[in-house]
Amino acid sequence: MKNKLPILFILFIFTSVFSFAGDNSFIRIVYPDDEDNQYVYNTDNLYSTRYTFNGSVSSDCMQIRCLWVKGDKSKLIEYIVNGYRPLSDTVIDDFTLKQYQPGNVSFEYNVSESLDNLAFGSNHYMFIAKFRDGTYKVATLTFYVHSGGYAERAKPVIYLYPKKKQNIKVSVNPAGGLLESIPEMGKKWNVTAYPDGKIYDKKTKKDYPYLYWESVDSNIQIDTSKGFVVESSTLEVFFVEKLTILGLNEKEIADFNEYWVPELTKYGKPYIFITFYLQERIDAEAPLKISPKPESVIRVYFDHKPLDTPIDCEEQVLKPAERSGFAVVEWGGRRYR
């Protein structure tokens, strides 16, 4: 019979590290990097490929249990609440590390399709450490796998600005399916939004600055006939100018640059080709539904290509956007792996 964790464990399961174990007790994922981050690996054969996660624990650890689910992270919580009994609609892999010995301060966990704990898409892992005093802590990791040749719709974020405090329902349905969302969207986000942009999610009972999602993009090649060739050193200034035209405000542009400037300059190339999608294309590839209906919707999405030397292209003409009344603003871009 599988061990049951105390009810106290369930009450705190939504945090990545519990506070009720000993102050010096811990479990961490060392590789890939830190807990709770998303990692993307390209491969075309998951059955013969094996990845090894490395972790560390305090010396009072007695046992490490590893749970895996594809797609919906909340199913791990449901599985635990269900007393570790199988779920009718979801496959959960539940494995206690056999090679780990009490007192060891490191551990390894192998994942592969052949081990029934890896699949294309989002893979969610929970590592549960039991300590000598009978308490528990956990570490979590999301590991995303897609076949080579595909890009991602990376970090699209949605801001909501109602004229007054208002309950709002939001859903996005990108071609290829949703990979990740924060907070978890499920069928739709059901939130309370405020005029200053604050969003309160009723499911998690937490505040968020925006709604976040990601998905696989198509393998359509970038069109470099129209756009902008930008010196990498001037990207921040370029985006401030162009995103202002496209209707973003100072805070939204700062959020955009905070993520995308480091992402684009990591290539180490002196130039970057940038092209913005028409909103009609964004709406077709990732339909967005909002109730009640906003008075203005601004969706900004771009593609890019690192360059060693400038290329000839027609400068893209950007259509100025206006925001009025209940406004919704979204930005995102194509990320290559």
Side-chain angles (χ1 to χ4, degrees):
M1 180 180 293
K2 295 178 180 178
N3 294 328
K4 300 292 194 300
L5 296 185
I7 295 299
L8 188 57
F9 180 87
I10 304 301
L11 296 176
F12 288 87
I13 195 69
F14 294 99
T15 61
S16 61
V17 178
F18 300 113
S19 61
F20 56 83
D23 290 341
N24 296 320
S25 300
F26 68 86
I27 179 170
R28 300 189 185 99
I29 305 304
V30 178
Y31 178 82
D33 206 6
D34 294 323
E35 306 164 15
D36 270 333
N37 286 340
Q38 182 173 329
Y39 297 86
V40 179
Y41 293 79
N42 299 320
T43 181
D44 58 4
N45 189 338
L46 296 186
Y47 194 87
S48 61
T49 301
R50 180 173 297 193
Y51 298 109
T52 300
F53 301 160
N54 298 310
S56 65
V57 291
S58 52
S59 59
D60 58 336
C61 181
M62 303 300 291
Q63 183 187 78
I64 300 174
R65 188 173 186 171
C66 308
L67 307 180
W68 165 85
V69 69
K70 176 189 175 182
D72 190 349
K73 187 176 183 180
S74 67
K75 291 296 182 180
L76 292 178
I77 310 302
E78 184 179 341
Y79 174 70
I80 294 172
V81 173
N82 197 41
Y84 296 95
R85 291 187 295 272
L87 303 179
S88 60
D89 60 346
T90 306
V91 175
I92 304 283
D93 185 69
D94 186 343
F95 181 75
T96 298
L97 293 183
K98 298 175 181 177
Q99 299 299 319
Y100 179 79
Q101 298 297 316
N104 288 353
V105 295
S106 63
F107 65 92
E108 292 185 350
Y109 177 64
N110 296 313
V111 299
S112 172
E113 188 177 51
S114 63
L115 298 174
D116 298 320
N117 59 1
L118 186 68
F120 286 111
S122 296
N123 295 266
H124 302 286
Y125 301 92
M126 181 178 291
F127 301 86
I128 307 169
K130 180 180 179 180
F131 297 96
R132 190 176 295 117
D133 61 1
T135 56
Y136 298 82
K137 286 188 178 180
V138 306
T140 59
L141 173 70
T142 295
F143 188 79
Y144 174 69
V145 182
H146 70 79
S147 57
Y150 280 83
E152 299 164 356
R153 295 183 183 91
K155 203 182 168 69
V157 296
I158 303 168
Y159 302 84
L160 305 174
Y161 301 102
K163 298 300 291 182
K164 61 181 180 180
K165 176 183 174 181
Q166 193 166 15
N167 293 326
I168 300 173
K169 294 179 181 179
V170 182
S171 65
V172 63
N173 185 28
L178 198 66
L179 295 174
E180 195 75 17
S181 57
I182 302 175
E184 195 78 35
M185 186 183 79
K187 292 184 178 180
K188 60 179 171 291
W189 286 293
N190 189 358
V191 302
T192 301
Y194 296 79
D196 64 359
K198 185 179 76 171
I199 297 171
Y200 175 78
D201 178 57
K202 296 180 180 181
K203 185 186 299 183
T204 61
K205 302 188 187 314
K206 292 182 179 179
D207 293 332
Y208 296 87
Y210 43 64
L211 304 174
Y212 164 95
W213 63 275
E214 288 196 351
S215 74
V216 171
D217 206 339
S218 69
N219 60 354
I220 297 173
Q221 295 297 310
I222 184 173
D223 180 1
T224 58
S225 61
K226 291 183 180 181
F228 307 91
V229 176
V230 187
E231 290 187 30
S232 295
S233 61
T234 65
L235 274 171
E236 186 168 349
V237 173
F238 167 81
F239 281 128
V240 168
E241 177 188 348
K242 303 307 180 186
L243 294 178
T244 299
I245 295 173
L246 292 173
L248 273 63
N249 66 25
E250 186 175 338
K251 169 66 166 56
E252 295 152 3
I253 294 172
D255 290 344
F256 180 101
N257 277 333
E258 182 180 11
Y259 178 78
W260 279 111
V261 171
E263 180 69 21
L264 298 181
T265 55
K266 72 181 183 182
Y267 299 108
K269 300 293 186 179
Y271 301 94
I272 303 286
F273 171 80
I274 302 289
T275 185
F276 293 95
Y277 286 13
L278 295 176
Q279 186 156 321
E280 291 82 359
R281 178 176 176 179
I282 305 171
D283 292 339
E285 295 185 358
L288 182 65
K289 293 183 179 180
I290 303 169
S291 179
K293 185 177 179 179
E295 295 168 74
S296 56
V297 178
I298 297 171
R299 305 186 77 187
V300 175
Y301 190 86
F302 77 99
D303 202 350
H304 69 280
K305 184 177 182 178
L307 302 170
D308 289 310
T309 58
I311 62 172
D312 292 328
C313 68
E314 180 182 343
E315 183 170 314
Q316 187 175 17
V317 177
L318 301 179
K319 181 180 179 181
E322 295 183 6
R323 50 202 293 173
S324 60
F326 170 20
V328 173
V329 178
E330 179 188 52
W331 58 254
R334 207 176 196 205
R335 181 173 61 203
Y336 294 89
R337 293 292 185 175

